[in-house]
Amino acid sequence: MFKIYKRTIHIGMSENPQGRLEYQIEEGSGSSLSKILAIPAMIAGTIVGTLVFSVFFAVLLIPLGIVGYKAWRLMKTVQQQNLRQGEGDSISAEYTVISDSEPDKK
């Protein structure tokens, strides 16, 4: 917390004939106002900072969430299409038979 002081320097002759430098420090009226406003200003700064921080992450995370959801749905759709295509397929194989005997000719 900042304190504002008003300095007043009086130079002159006093009761002491040698002359001396006198000064006093007076607390200005502005510092009492700053004491009154310090706590509400800190509370307001905390609230505003929290709101700005929250809005920043909302602006950042909402689009990322939407993109992630769309990517997840696309992956699910592709998986379902692959399963549907796999149900009607047949397995084909090539094979060769090796035998000593000749096949019967009809």
Side-chain angles (χ1 to χ4, degrees):
M1 180 184 298
F2 294 106
K3 291 185 178 181
I4 301 171
Y5 293 99
K6 177 182 176 185
R7 292 187 180 201
T8 306
I9 300 174
H10 297 282
I11 300 174
M13 301 298 278
S14 63
E15 295 100 29
N16 190 352
Q18 294 176 343
R20 66 180 208 210
L21 176 66
E22 297 177 0
Y23 69 95
Q24 65 184 45
I25 298 175
E26 299 174 358
E27 191 173 328
S29 63
S31 67
S32 64
L33 181 62
S34 68
K35 283 181 185 178
I36 294 171
L37 294 178
I39 292 175
M42 284 189 274
I43 293 171
T46 303
I47 292 170
V48 170
T50 303
L51 290 175
V52 169
F53 192 70
S54 300
V55 167
F56 171 74
F57 275 104
V59 167
L60 180 68
L61 292 178
I62 288 173
L64 287 176
I66 292 170
V67 169
Y69 178 74
K70 287 184 178 182
W72 177 77
R73 291 295 302 155
L74 182 63
M75 287 175 21
K76 287 291 185 184
T77 305
V78 168
Q79 285 177 351
Q80 289 174 356
Q81 288 175 353
N82 287 341
L83 287 176
R84 284 187 207 138
Q85 290 175 355
E87 291 173 357
D89 291 346
S90 61
I91 298 174
S92 60
E94 292 183 18
Y95 61 93
T96 304
V97 176
I98 300 173
S99 175
D100 294 349
S101 63
E102 290 184 26
D104 295 335
K105 292 186 183 180
K106 296 183 184 179

